[in-house]
């Protein structure tokens, strides 16, 4: 982000186009996945399994059913609310309030993203070690 001001950061998020907003819908990876892939955050996708860390549904783990880039929310299987007329609907949850526990790696492009990020971190780590030593 260009500015340090929270007001301008929020404005940038709300006015960003959907293709950029998609990349902002990130959630942290679990410690096991973080160690395995060497990546801290990844964009949430349909099919990922997440654990809710904050809010009324804390501790619930389920698959991501839908990602709404326009409203900046994700919908998780099994996290429902009963409406006044008795019907149920999925509860929208902000992606920063969840932790990814299992990745959906059925897409080969996502595997390439993980490898690219891991390689970039390795190069950065080498540069830091050279500067120190």
């Amino acid at each position: 982000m260009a500015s340090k001001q929270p007001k301008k950061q929020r404005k940038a998020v709300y006015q960003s186009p959907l293709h950029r907003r998609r990349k902002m819908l990130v959630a942290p990876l679990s410690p096991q996945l973080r160690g395995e892939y060497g990546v801290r955050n990844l964009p949430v996708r349909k099919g990922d399994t997440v654990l809710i860390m904050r809010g009324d549904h804390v501790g619930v783990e389920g698959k991501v059913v839908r990602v709404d880039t326009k409203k900046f929310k994700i919908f998780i299987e099994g996290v429902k609310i009963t409406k006044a007329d008795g019907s149920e609907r999925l509860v929208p949850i902000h992606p920063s309030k969840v932790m990814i526990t299992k990745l959906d790696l059925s897409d080969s492009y996502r595997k390439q993203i993980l490898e690219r990020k891991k390689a970039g971190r390795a190069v950065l780590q080498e540069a830091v070690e050279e500067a120190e030593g």
Side-chain angles (χ1 to χ4, degrees), residues 32-63:
Q32 296 84 12
L33 291 176
R34 196 179 296 179
E36 184 178 341
Y37 296 109
V39 177
R40 187 178 181 90
N41 301 319
L42 268 183
V44 182
R45 280 195 183 181
K46 179 180 172 181
D48 287 347
T49 305
V50 296
L51 175 67
I52 300 174
M53 305 296 287
R54 299 272 185 276
D56 296 336
H57 305 282
V58 66
V60 177
E61 189 169 4
K63 266 192 174 175

Side-chain angles (χ1 to χ4, degrees), residues 6-123:
K7 176 182 175 180
K8 289 186 179 180
Q9 289 184 1
R10 280 191 294 273
K11 182 179 179 183
V13 169
Y14 298 140
Q15 292 186 342
S16 63
L18 294 180
H19 71 283
R20 287 202 192 135
R21 202 181 265 228
R22 177 78 196 94
K23 290 184 179 181
M24 293 183 213
L25 276 162
V26 297
L29 268 60
S30 67
Q32 296 84 12
L33 291 176
R34 196 179 296 179
E36 184 178 341
Y37 296 109
V39 177
R40 187 178 181 90
N41 301 319
L42 268 183
V44 182
R45 280 195 183 181
K46 179 180 172 181
D48 287 347
T49 305
V50 296
L51 175 67
I52 300 174
M53 305 296 287
R54 299 272 185 276
D56 296 336
H57 305 282
V58 66
V60 177
E61 189 169 4
K63 266 192 174 175
V64 176
V65 179
R66 193 177 89 193
V67 178
D68 189 349
T69 52
K70 191 159 187 152
K71 294 186 177 178
F72 221 78
K73 302 287 181 181
I74 62 172
F75 297 88
I76 301 168
E77 193 175 83
V79 181
K80 296 180 180 179
I81 193 167
T82 306
K83 293 169 54 172
D85 64 355
S87 63
E88 290 186 335
R89 69 170 181 88
L90 295 171
V91 177
I93 296 174
H94 196 275
S96 67
K97 307 299 179 198
V98 301
M99 178 174 65
I100 300 174
T101 55
K102 282 186 198 163
L103 291 170
D104 178 26
L105 294 174
S106 59
D107 184 12
S108 62
Y109 183 67
R110 197 168 197 198
K111 292 177 189 173
Q112 291 174 1
I113 291 169
L114 283 168
E115 290 168 9
R116 187 177 66 230
K117 282 189 158 198
K118 190 172 186 175
R121 292 223 185 244
V123 169

